[in-house]
Amino acid sequence: MKTANKKVTAERLVRDALEKAKHFADYNIFTFLNEDGAIRRAREIDKRIARGEKIGRLAGVPYALKDNFLSPDGETTASAHILEGFKSPITATAVAKLEAEGAIMIGRTNLDAFAHGSSTENSYFGPTLNSVDKTRVAGGSSGGSAVAVALDIVEFATGTDTGGSIRQPASFNGVYGLKPTYGCISRYGVVAMASSTDCIGFFTKTPDDMDLLMSIASGQDAKDMTTLPDYYNDNTEFAHKKVRIGIIKDFDNDSVDKEIRAALKTKCELLKSKGHEIVELEMPALKYALAAYYIIVPAEVASNLSRYDGIRYGFRSDESDVLDDLYFNTRSEGFMPENKRRIMIGNFVLSSGFYDAYFLKAAKARTLIIKEYEKAFKKCDFILTPVSPNLAFRLGEKVNDPVSMYLEDVMSVPLNLAGVPGLTIPAGKAKSGLTVGIQMIGPRRSDKALIEFSKELSEDD
Ligand code: GLN
């Protein structure tokens, strides 16, 4: 990570990043550029450097913040109309930790509203364009963050991953994207989507940068009771010489793009040539993951979105004398169609007549999936799979067909249901020039080993 010093000032780094952000304005990456704030902060850091003070491990490093992280810099909108005008009085723990090390936020990035989606087309501010082909989607929901790193505007960006929102856009834009173990990084101050699967993570260009960010951001937080005691920094160097890599037989079929399958095979050959062992896995319970996810997540979404009433946050529809009308109009106008779809599904699966048939069944399927991973990790150290069945698809191709959009998540959501970490690793380009990514999965708390081992698959080999 290029940090500021006496020769290369933080102001220089920030101005360069802002200039690049403006140069790529047509990609629709940012919902807000933090020009004044970032330059002010950079000057403060430069003064401290001039005085010989120690700044931190991210001294003057510009970064992009997914617009569902709360901080007083700009409005936090989660790319949703209903949050327009909302200025947060608090700062997310993850943001506070990064900035305590000297990182400077240059802009807030576009996402599918409330992180509901796989393409960033559900944003109130319009889609972000793919970094290598402007006719295609950036992936989602953290599309803006992925493209900001892919186009070298910033060296890192934050993301959230509830069912693939870091890993899939990372793969669609050829960068590293990590969804850590559930509970590794505090979710305090991040707009909640589904509290039992939401994870905070990052986009970077290298595994070493990912490791640095994880060592800064991870750890227990009294403000988020689901955080784990800091295991990340306790993990000793990854010591295994010979590693067993699991491959899931069921994912090698015609519903997965040929070039993705070929990239996975090439990486397996590379690993074998380095002395690692490939083992075939059968994980039949994973076939329930998508259905279970699209019951459990909407249920939690319906609950988490109930707080947006037009009174407490952001946008309020035209004043009405009748309170119920105010709620109704604000929510009708303020949410995107996909948000509404999830609120309706969520309330349906939780309603008394249907709870047992849907929510309870999905919760049981989730337990099966957790056990399936536990079993698999007795046979192997890591699992290698595609991130999603397709390469970056065309803008408009799936946005009006929710089920085909949901199907894109079939390989990413099982990890969130089980709470295990997954890392997207760039794996070259398809003939069309689109980027290919593969996903490496580890047992809970194996995040550091996962990042370390990903170097074995590095593109520079
Ligand atoms: N694409 C998935 C969904 O729409 C995941 C979203 C996310 O991880 N935030 O639910």
Side-chain angles (χ1 to χ4, degrees):
M1 206 89 66
K2 212 197 286 160
T3 51
N5 52 43
K6 280 188 180 151
K7 283 201 198 99
V8 185
T9 62
E11 182 167 350
R12 180 75 272 143
L13 294 178
V14 162
R15 282 193 188 276
D16 284 353
L18 286 166
E19 208 168 287
K20 280 188 234 158
K22 285 183 198 161
H23 175 75
F24 290 118
D26 52 335
Y27 285 83
N28 198 26
I29 297 165
F30 292 97
T31 56
F32 162 72
L33 273 187
N34 189 26
E35 290 192 72
D36 296 344
I39 290 171
R40 199 178 329 115
R41 183 111 213 282
R43 286 183 179 153
E44 279 162 22
I45 288 179
D46 286 333
K47 270 192 214 143
R48 289 174 52 201
I49 292 176
R51 286 201 295 266
E53 281 177 39
K54 224 175 152 327
I55 308 299
R57 288 173 284 175
L58 300 172
V61 178
Y63 78 100
L65 186 68
K66 187 177 181 182
D67 193 19
N68 55 354
F69 284 71
L70 273 59
S71 87
D73 293 314
E75 293 173 7
T76 304
T77 70
S79 293
H81 185 32
I82 205 162
L83 271 174
E84 263 194 306
F86 172 62
K87 271 192 90 82
S88 170
I90 63 151
T91 301
T93 299
V95 173
K97 285 185 166 185
L98 296 169
E99 299 197 349
E101 293 281 347
I104 302 176
M105 190 269 273
I106 62 137
R108 293 177 162 276
T109 59
N110 197 20
L111 62 147
D112 288 295
F114 287 107
H116 302 173
S118 315
S119 67
T120 315
E121 289 167 292
N122 293 332
S123 166
Y124 180 64
F125 305 113
T128 296
L129 311 185
N130 185 279
S131 57
V132 294
D133 179 347
K134 286 190 194 171
T135 67
R136 294 187 181 255
V137 300
S141 65
S142 320
S145 282
V147 176
V149 173
L151 292 177
D152 286 321
I153 296 171
V154 283
E155 282 189 277
F156 80 93
T158 69
T160 56
D161 191 312
T162 300
S165 279
I166 292 177
R167 289 160 287 149
Q168 186 252 28
S171 138
F172 280 13
N173 293 282
V175 296
Y176 286 83
L178 176 73
K179 176 208 109 60
T181 300
Y182 180 76
C184 179
I185 299 179
S186 170
R187 293 179 290 114
Y188 175 75
V190 178
V191 177
M193 178 175 164
S195 309
S196 80
T197 69
D198 286 349
C199 288
I200 311 302
F202 300 102
F203 294 90
T204 63
K205 279 269 169 90
T206 69
D208 284 336
D209 286 351
M210 191 65 84
D211 177 43
L212 174 64
L213 296 168
M214 286 297 291
S215 68
I216 291 170
S218 59
Q220 199 154 25
D221 179 10
K223 293 173 181 154
D224 174 357
M225 285 188 295
T226 61
T227 46
L228 298 165
D230 187 10
Y231 64 86
Y232 189 87
N233 289 305
D234 287 346
N235 271 0
T236 43
E237 285 289 287
F238 182 59
H240 301 287
K241 284 270 174 294
K242 294 263 184 294
V243 167
R244 294 164 305 162
I245 307 291
I247 300 291
I248 304 174
K249 265 172 42 192
D250 283 350
F251 286 173
D252 191 16
N253 64 47
D254 288 341
S255 63
V256 183
D257 186 283
K258 265 205 222 108
E259 291 187 272
I260 299 176
R261 283 154 65 199
L264 196 67
K265 289 214 172 83
T266 310
K267 291 296 183 192
C268 285
E269 290 309 318
L270 175 68
L271 289 172
K272 271 200 246 171
S273 74
K274 292 186 174 186
H276 304 298
E277 189 190 338
I278 305 292
V279 290
E280 278 205 347
L281 298 173
E282 288 195 47
M283 299 184 71
L286 296 192
K287 65 174 173 291
Y288 305 122
L290 195 69
Y293 174 90
Y294 275 101
I295 290 171
I296 292 168
V297 165
E300 296 186 25
V301 160
S303 165
N304 275 324
L305 294 189
S306 63
R307 65 178 66 118
Y308 302 106
D309 54 5
I311 307 292
R312 288 173 288 189
Y313 309 94
F315 164 76
R316 179 180 302 171
S317 175
D318 286 337
E319 308 290 323
S320 163
D321 294 341
V322 184
L323 188 61
D324 278 352
D325 289 350
L326 179 80
Y327 293 153
F328 183 85
N329 294 338
T330 299
R331 289 170 66 85
S332 301
E333 292 166 37
F335 286 125
M336 300 293 283
E338 183 59 30
N339 306 140
K340 293 179 194 169
R341 198 172 288 126
R342 294 189 190 209
I343 292 170
M344 288 171 63
I345 295 172
N347 284 313
F348 174 77
V349 298
L350 289 174
S351 57
S352 61
F354 299 99
Y355 178 86
D356 286 357
Y358 292 99
F359 190 82
L360 193 62
K361 233 193 200 138
K364 287 179 180 165
R366 183 179 196 168
T367 303
L368 287 180
I369 291 160
I370 293 169
K371 289 194 173 139
E372 193 85 286
Y373 278 110
E374 282 168 4
K375 232 169 56 197
F377 286 124
K378 290 199 174 106
K379 296 189 190 129
C380 64
D381 301 290
F382 301 120
I383 302 173
L384 210 53
T385 75
V387 181
S388 62
N390 293 300
L391 299 168
F393 43 92
R394 290 192 186 285
L395 287 158
E397 191 180 322
K398 295 181 191 282
V399 71
N400 297 317
D401 181 355
V403 173
S404 84
M405 190 73 90
Y406 298 166
L407 284 168
E408 285 302 301
D409 304 334
V410 66
M411 290 147 177
S412 55
V413 300
L415 286 74
N416 298 74
L417 292 175
V420 296
L423 175 68
T424 289
I425 302 167
K429 293 205 164 177
K431 280 194 217 92
S432 57
L434 295 175
T435 61
V436 183
I438 52 171
Q439 167 173 244
M440 203 160 65
I441 308 163
R444 287 171 62 83
R445 304 182 192 227
S446 68
D447 313 52
K448 197 175 176 78
L450 203 55
I451 295 171
E452 197 52 41
F453 186 70
S454 73
K455 293 178 189 167
E456 289 283 278
L457 289 168
S458 154
E459 300 232 283
D460 321 320
D461 274 320

